[in-house]
């Protein structure tokens, strides 16, 4: 987790990631966010890293769609994705 400003972007497969501005800009459209990220670059919501699939509006904790626990999509992640589309 970094204390530097974080920028959200969607990967080519539609997964939301957070990184520094330079890295995020390499992926095209990006937006600054107040969220922090986990060690893998996924947004942290309520203390948990979330793998969020913008296509399909699906969110998983402690892993991806193959290994994580499905949760209701956090509204803050939907809002960030709306800025990116």
């Amino acid at each position: 987790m970094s204390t530097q400003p974080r920028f959200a972007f969607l990967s080519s497969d539609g997964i939301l990631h957070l990184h520094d501005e330079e890295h995020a800009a390499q992926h095209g459209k990006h937006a600054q966010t107040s969220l922090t990220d986990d060690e893998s670059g996924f947004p942290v919501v309520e203390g948990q890293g979330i793998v969020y699939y913008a296509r399909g509006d699906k969110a998983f904790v402690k892993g991806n769609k193959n290994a994580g626990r499905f949760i209701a999509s956090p509204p803050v992640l939907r809002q960030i994705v709306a800025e990116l589309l």
Side-chain angles (χ1 to χ4, degrees), residues 12-47:
S12 60
D13 51 359
I15 298 173
L16 185 65
H17 294 275
L18 304 183
H19 283 284
D20 59 62
E21 186 173 22
E22 182 180 345
H23 182 95
Q26 294 173 10
H27 294 273
K29 192 167 184 180
H30 57 287
Q32 188 168 359
T33 179
S34 60
L35 292 177
T36 58
D37 56 318
D38 66 12
E39 62 280 351
S40 298
F42 296 111
V44 173
V45 178
E46 296 181 6

Side-chain angles (χ1 to χ4, degrees), residues 29-77:
K29 192 167 184 180
H30 57 287
Q32 188 168 359
T33 179
S34 60
L35 292 177
T36 58
D37 56 318
D38 66 12
E39 62 280 351
S40 298
F42 296 111
V44 173
V45 178
E46 296 181 6
Q48 298 189 59
I50 307 292
V51 179
Y52 181 69
Y53 294 83
R55 297 180 201 138
D57 187 32
K58 304 260 187 223
F60 298 86
V61 175
K62 299 188 187 288
N64 61 22
K65 64 183 176 185
N66 298 320
R69 180 174 51 89
F70 178 73
I71 62 167
S73 298
V76 66
L77 299 185

